Each structure stands twice: as structure tokens, then as C-alpha cells.
């Protein structure tokens, strides 16, 4: 397939690049430009999708609430050029598929949220709601590094990032269906918005949960009731524990020369895995470190009702997985970056600032259900 345009990234990355230049980091990217083998060229068996039928029912119920015009926007063709149309950046239909929650009536939003709740399960839905809540906090100017969380000093100056404005907030999220929700034929559910891109593939009673991008800014904040929110804490803390558990020699092997200001295989980078895996092999790590690797992987896979099945597959590959990092081992300062790279699992955590994380989980074999070749 043709590589998608980078128009979205180019336009939206302008603000970010200024901050990165000020921090002295290199531009995003860079280990190797080679492509991984095409996922669809390998015969793979999809994982059982225990809630597939319930998701179809919820999707049909939501679509029934829409006008013809809204339905034409929400339900589109299943094809690669539309499947890869997602991003972590804010914005709307110019860069992602679907209808905005802000354009729907309350009962329509409730029906859309029910789709997300059924599709994601308890952990995934909680993360989904917390990422949206983080965007509400960002829009209102709350945030800044709060209590808790390892690594990295607290912000020297109080206050949040200054507020994002009208383009941010939980109503600026979207829902889309690629293909007709069906209990027999393939389709994809997309849930997207700033710092969120969830792509769930269904084919009958089987499916796939990746690409799965979650991020947050602020990373830690307090709501009006004084409750502390830290939506990506399980991911950050397990990776911090992992790096802290390495011996000096293992840490040296795991350290990457390149610096990263974002995830490497992010939006519109489908199939663009580095040609060579780098870092220290999990087989060489202590049992304590291996447990941290398992916890880190589970922090992402647990967001899917298929999480246990993914963990079983990744556990079988555990000794072949490599762990690497860039920046410091604090996993809390701008430029800190951690990667888990295995025969199937690919996870990245990039710290764009002490109050700004980007992450992605991909399954090398079944992104988009291996429906497309990259």
C-alpha cells in the first residue's frame, strides 16, 4: 500500500518541535529506516474476541441514534488508507475518522460511550476515561507534576501547562466504524482524540487490539474534589522499576545511542519497525527484572479484553524480547524513552516532559487484524 501522507504530523508537530529544540533534543526518529516484514505476509491466527458480539450490538444501537448524515460520517469503508488515519494530536476530521462527541446529543454520547465500555473492558475503559479527563484538565490549565510517581524532580514552578483551549477536552473525542459492525465479516472500531488512538479489529468471534496509542498531559493532576489522577502510572512505574533493577552491565547493554522525543513507530509509521532489535535480552535478566517486564507488558495488554491471551503469547517469547532505553532511567524527564521489542510485542514509552507522556503498543503480527500489508 502507499505510504500515507505526513501532512498531519508536519502541521501539528510545529509546536512540539520548538520545545524540543529548546531542550536540545534531536528530531524524532532514528535508528534505522528499514521496514519490518509485511504483517499480512505471515499467516497468523487472530485471538478470540470474547465480547465481539456484544460490541456489534452496542455499535448497532449507537448507529441507530444517528441521522443519515451523522451515520455517513461515523461508518465508513474498511480500507487501509482510512484505517491508518489516526493520530495522537488534537484536532478533528482532517486527521482522524468519525463523529465528534461534541456534535452529538447527550443520549447519543451515552450510546457511544457504551460502545467503548463494552469494547475495552474494565481496565481499558478506565484508562480511556482517564485520558479524556486529562485532556479536560489540560484544557482548563490544570496539571503540572503532582505527588507520587518515580523519577524526575517536581516542577520548579507551580501551575499547569497554561491550558489548551477549545480544541482540547473530553467532548473533542471521536468514534468511527470502518466497515459495517458485523458478527461475521471484518470491521474496525476506532476511538480517537488527543492522546488517544484505539484500533480494535473484529472478524466474527476473533480480533486484534492494536495499534493502541495512549498518552497524557498532564500526567498527574488533582480534580476539583481533590482526587489525584495518574492514568499512565502502571506503565511508567513498571518501566522505571525495570530499568532500576538492571545491573550496571545490563544497563549499558540496554542504553540506546539515539535520543527520542516521541515514539518511533507512531501514527502513520505502520510496519516501520527498526531493522535490528537493540538492547538487552530478557533471557539475561534477573527474575526480578523479568517480573517488571511482565508487569510493563500487562500494563498495556490489560486494557484489552484479550489481554490474557496476548500475555500468554508474549510470555512464550519472553526470553527473545529485548529491553532498551534512552535518556535517563528515571522515566520522568524530557527525552527519557523505553522500548520493549519482541518477536510479536512492541511497546514504547516516550517522555516529552515531566508532565507529558506518549506510549504505543503494537503487535507485529496482528496490527489491524493483519487485514493490510505494510
Amino acid at each position: 500500500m502507499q505510504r500515507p501522507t505526513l501532512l498531519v504530523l508536519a502541521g501539528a508537530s510545529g509546536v512540539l518541535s520548538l520545545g524540543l529544540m529548546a531542550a536540545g533534543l534531536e528530531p524524532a526518529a532514528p535508528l534505522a529506516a528499514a521496514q519490518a516484514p509485511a504483517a499480512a505476509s505471515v499467516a497468523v491466527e487472530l485471538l478470540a474476541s470474547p465480547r465481539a458480539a456484544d460490541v456489534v450490538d452496542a455499535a448497532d444501537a449507537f448507529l441507530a441514534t444517528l441521522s443519515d448524515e451523522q451515520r455517513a460520517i461515523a461508518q465508513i469503508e474498511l480500507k487501509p488508507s482510512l484505517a491508518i488515519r489516526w493520530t495522537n494530536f488534537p484536532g478533528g476530521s482532517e486527521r482522524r475518522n468519525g463523529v465528534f462527541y461534541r456534535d452529538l446529543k447527550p443520549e447519543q454520547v451515552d450510546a457511544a460511550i457504551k460502545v467503548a465500555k463494552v469494547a475495552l473492558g474494565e481496565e481499558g475503559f478506565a484508562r480511556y476515561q482517564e485520558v479524556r479527563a486529562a485532556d479536560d484538565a489540560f484544557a482548563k490549565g490544570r496539571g503540572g507534576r503532582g505527588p507520587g510517581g518515580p523519577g524526575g524532580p517536581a516542577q520548579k514552578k507551580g501551575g499547569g501547562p497554561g491550558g489548551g483551549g477549545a480544541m482540547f477536552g473530553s467532548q473533542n473525542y471521536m468514534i468511527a466504524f470502518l466497515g459495517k459492525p458485523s458478527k461475521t465479516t471484518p470491521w474496525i472500531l476506532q476511538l480517537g482524540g488527543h492522546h488517544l488512538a484505539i484500533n480494535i479489529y473484529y472478524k466474527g468471534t476473533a480480533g486484534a487490539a492494536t495499534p493502541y496509542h495512549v498518552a497524557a498531559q498532564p500526567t498527574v493532576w488533582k480534580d476539583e474534589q481533590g482526587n489525584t489522577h495518574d492514568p499512565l502510572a502502571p506503565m511508567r512505574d513498571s518501566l522505571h522499576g525495570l530499568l532500576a533493577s538492571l545491573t550496571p552491565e545490563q544497563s549499558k547493554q540496554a542504553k540506546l545511542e539515539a535520543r527520542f522525543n516521541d515514539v518511533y513507530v507512531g501514527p502513520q509509521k505502520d510496519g516501520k519497525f527498526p531493522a535490528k532489535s537493540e538492547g538487552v535480552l530478557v533471557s539475561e535478566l534477573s527474575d526480578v527484572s523479568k517480573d517488571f517486564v511482565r508487569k510493563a507488558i500487562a500494563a498495556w495488554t490489560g486494557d484489552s479484553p484479550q489481554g490474557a491471551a496476548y500475555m500468554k503469547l508474549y510470555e512464550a517469547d519472553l526470553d527473545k524480547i529485548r529491553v532498551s532505553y534512552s535518556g535517563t532511567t528515571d522515566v520522568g524527564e524530557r527525552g527519557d524513552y523505553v522500548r520493549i521489542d519482541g518477536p510479536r510485542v512492541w511497546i514504547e514509552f516516550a517522555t516529552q516532559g515531566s508532565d507529558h507522556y506518549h506510549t504505543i503498543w503494537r503487535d507485529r503480527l496482528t496490527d489491524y487484524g493483519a487485514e493490510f500489508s505494510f
Side-chain angles (χ1 to χ4, degrees), residues 11-342:
S13 63
V15 175
L16 291 175
S17 63
L18 291 176
L20 294 165
M21 290 171 62
L25 291 177
E26 299 175 3
L31 271 181
Q35 298 183 26
S41 66
V42 180
V44 294
E45 186 174 341
L46 297 175
L47 283 66
S49 187
R51 301 188 179 190
D54 293 336
V55 178
V56 172
D57 291 341
D60 286 343
F62 166 68
L63 289 168
T65 71
L66 302 182
S67 66
D68 290 344
E69 181 180 0
Q70 290 172 325
R71 195 176 304 112
I73 297 171
Q75 185 182 325
I76 56 179
E77 185 179 355
L78 175 62
K79 59 181 183 179
S81 60
L82 292 177
I84 64 172
R85 200 166 177 271
W86 54 269
T87 178
N88 56 292
F89 290 114
S93 57
E94 76 279 11
R95 58 189 51 164
R96 57 173 58 88
N97 304 309
V99 288
F100 271 119
Y101 292 169
R102 72 187 187 205
D103 294 333
L104 301 177
K105 298 176 182 177
E107 58 270 26
Q108 292 175 313
V109 174
D110 290 344
I113 295 297
K114 183 176 180 180
V115 177
K117 189 173 186 177
V118 175
L120 294 171
E122 184 175 355
E123 282 187 47
F125 182 67
R127 186 109 48 220
Y128 171 76
Q129 292 290 64
E130 283 289 277
V131 169
R132 294 177 65 223
D135 219 44
D136 280 332
F138 184 75
K140 297 174 182 175
R142 295 199 186 104
R145 191 171 181 79
Q155 276 193 185
K156 294 180 180 179
K157 296 181 180 180
M167 68 188 304
F168 298 92
S170 58
Q171 290 302 304
N172 288 315
Y173 284 69
M174 305 174 80
I175 184 170
F177 307 88
L178 282 68
K180 185 182 187 304
S182 167
K183 297 178 182 177
T184 56
T185 57
W187 64 284
I188 291 176
L189 168 65
Q190 287 189 334
L191 301 165
H194 182 217
H195 284 157
L196 187 79
I198 298 173
N199 301 274
I200 307 177
Y201 174 89
Y202 297 96
K203 186 176 184 180
T205 57
T210 62
Y212 181 79
H213 177 103
V214 290
Q217 184 185 24
T219 59
V220 184
W221 78 98
K222 286 189 176 183
D223 60 27
E224 294 177 351
Q225 289 72 44
N227 300 312
T228 299
H229 297 257
D230 193 355
L232 304 189
M235 300 158 174
R236 178 201 60 218
D237 294 353
S238 57
L239 293 173
H240 176 261
L242 168 60
L243 296 186
S245 73
L246 301 180
T247 66
E249 179 59 30
Q250 290 167 346
S251 184
K252 183 179 179 180
Q253 292 179 46
K255 187 74 178 284
L256 298 169
E257 292 184 4
R259 298 291 303 276
F260 297 86
N261 55 44
D262 204 344
V263 296
Y264 183 76
V265 193
Q268 285 76 59
K269 298 291 182 65
D270 301 286
K272 308 300 182 187
F273 299 101
K276 179 182 177 183
S277 293
E278 297 186 89
V280 62
L281 274 168
V282 172
S283 61
E284 300 176 7
L285 304 184
S286 67
D287 289 343
V288 171
S289 296
K290 289 180 179 178
D291 282 343
F292 275 119
V293 173
R294 293 187 181 96
K295 289 178 182 177
I297 295 174
W300 277 269
T301 59
D303 284 359
S304 167
Q306 299 170 295
Y310 275 111
M311 280 304 299
K312 186 176 181 180
L313 291 171
Y314 298 159
E315 178 72 28
D317 289 338
L318 191 65
D319 284 347
K320 301 175 184 175
I321 292 173
R322 290 183 181 271
V323 173
S324 58
Y325 75 98
S326 179
T328 77
T329 59
D330 288 338
V331 197
E333 291 302 304
R334 185 189 298 270
D336 289 352
Y337 169 89
V338 188
R339 176 189 301 170
I340 294 175
D341 180 7

